[in-house]
Structures are given as structure tokens and as C-alpha cells.
Amino acid sequence: MQCIIVIILVVGIDVGLNTSIPQLLMQRVAMTLDEATLGTSLYFAMRTIGTLMGAILLVKWSALKFFRTTIVLAIIAFVGLMFSTSLWMLLLCIGIVGLACANIFSIIFSLALQHDMKHANAISALMIMGVSGGALVLPLQGLITDATSFTAGLSVILVSMLIISRISYEFE
């Protein structure tokens, strides 16, 4: 069950960032929409680089140690992202969050399958259903943004990261 929650939340984080990064850059540093969409491209480019780096680092590190380290790094960078008003700091934080979140899905998927190999097909199906996380997290983010502020709406992503971090310490 914990693995499904992590998958739902990490997909929600991706979808939430995908929709929020341009608005964040437009509000904080007065970019045009065309310029601000490059922030989303940066996020996904860093996720791609992070996946490659993860494949290399996971040869030397345990999956749990890597998972815990990267989610803490993502939280730190995201807090910086929430409060920064500098273009370069925002771009740096976007890049770090992309790097840090790149391997969470694959690590959790692997941990879930290792937990109960007899039910691998059922576990795979449940984990893939977790991809619906964007449909769950993003509306909550939108409701909070509409009711309060854009930064408060971003806190949904931060809370998602904190929950993932907490769950990472329940695996052994």
C-alpha cells in the first residue's frame, strides 16, 4: 500500500510541477509565457539526466539509501523554489528537484516487486494504477491555490514530498 501511495504522490508532483513552473516563473521573475515554459523543459531535462545518473549511482548505493537521500534533496530544493525570487535560484532549484525526483518511481516499483514476487502481476497493475496521481494531487493544488495563494498551492507538492520521505523510512 505504501508503494502505491508513493507512486500516486510522485506522479502528482510531476504533474503539479509541470503545470506550476511556468506560472511560478511568470509571477516571480516576470517572464513571458513562452520564456517560462522553458522552466518545465529544464525540469524534464534534469529528470532525464537524473535517470542516467541514478542508473550509475544505484550500482554503488542501496536503493533505499539513494531513495532517502534524493527525496530529502528534493525537499530542500523545493523549499528554495517556493520562496526564491531570483531567476538563477529558481532555475537551480527546478533542476535539483528534477534530478532528485528522477528515480523515485523506478525504485518504488522495484521495491514493490521485490516484496512479493508471487504476486508480481497484481502488484504491477496496482502500481501502474498509481499513475492516476496527477488526477488526484493537481485538483487539490488548484483548490488551495484558488482559495489562498499560488505559494500555498505549491505546499501540496511539498506535503507530497514530505509524505514520500516519511514512507521511505518505513521500508526495510
Side-chain angles (χ1 to χ4, degrees), residues 4 109-110 112-130:
I4 295 168
F109 196 84
S110 171
L113 290 176
Q114 290 172 13
H115 178 70
D116 187 2
M117 291 301 290
K118 290 189 294 187
H119 298 99
N121 287 340
I123 291 170
S124 293
L126 285 171
M127 296 295 285
I128 294 304
M129 285 175 49

Side-chain angles (χ1 to χ4, degrees), residues 3 14-16 30 32 38-39 50 73 170:
C3 293
D14 273 348
V15 173
T32 67
L38 294 175
L73 181 62
E170 294 176 12

Side-chain angles (χ1 to χ4, degrees), residues 50-62 66 70 103:
T51 302
L52 175 63
M53 288 173 53
I56 294 166
L57 292 174
L58 281 167
V59 171
K60 298 186 185 284
W61 284 18
S62 77
F66 187 77
T70 58
N103 297 288

Side-chain angles (χ1 to χ4, degrees), residues 20 44 57 59 64 67 80 95 101 108 112-113 124 132 139 148 150 165 168:
S20 299
F44 285 105
L57 292 174
V59 171
L64 276 177
F67 174 38
C101 290
I108 290 300
L113 290 176
S124 293
S132 65
T148 55
F150 181 72
S165 177
S168 77

Side-chain angles (χ1 to χ4, degrees), residues 19-32:
T19 59
S20 299
I21 288 172
Q23 185 177 356
L24 177 73
L25 293 172
M26 289 186 312
Q27 283 185 1
R28 300 271 174 86
V29 293
M31 287 183 146
T32 67

Side-chain angles (χ1 to χ4, degrees), residues 23-161:
Q23 185 177 356
L24 177 73
L25 293 172
M26 289 186 312
Q27 283 185 1
R28 300 271 174 86
V29 293
M31 287 183 146
T32 67
L33 179 59
D34 288 340
E35 295 169 335
T37 56
L38 294 175
T40 304
S41 298
L42 171 66
Y43 173 75
F44 285 105
M46 295 308 285
R47 278 187 52 93
T48 302
I49 292 167
T51 302
L52 175 63
M53 288 173 53
I56 294 166
L57 292 174
L58 281 167
V59 171
K60 298 186 185 284
W61 284 18
S62 77
L64 276 177
K65 181 178 178 183
F66 187 77
F67 174 38
R68 290 172 182 154
T69 302
T70 58
I71 192 62
V72 168
L73 181 62
I75 291 167
I76 293 167
F78 192 78
V79 168
L81 177 86
M82 286 182 68
F83 298 106
S84 180
T85 56
S86 158
L87 173 62
W88 291 109
M89 184 57 89
L90 286 167
L91 294 176
L92 176 66
C93 290
I94 289 167
I96 292 171
V97 171
L99 280 171
C101 290
N103 297 288
I104 293 173
F105 186 98
S106 56
I107 289 171
I108 290 300
F109 196 84
S110 171
L111 289 173
L113 290 176
Q114 290 172 13
H115 178 70
D116 187 2
M117 291 301 290
K118 290 189 294 187
H119 298 99
N121 287 340
I123 291 170
S124 293
L126 285 171
M127 296 295 285
I128 294 304
M129 285 175 49
V131 173
S132 65
L136 300 172
V137 174
L138 190 60
L140 179 59
Q141 184 181 348
L143 286 171
I144 292 173
T145 298
D146 291 344
T148 55
S149 69
F150 181 72
T151 302
L154 287 176
S155 68
V156 172
I157 296 173
L158 179 60
V159 168
S160 296
M161 290 178 176

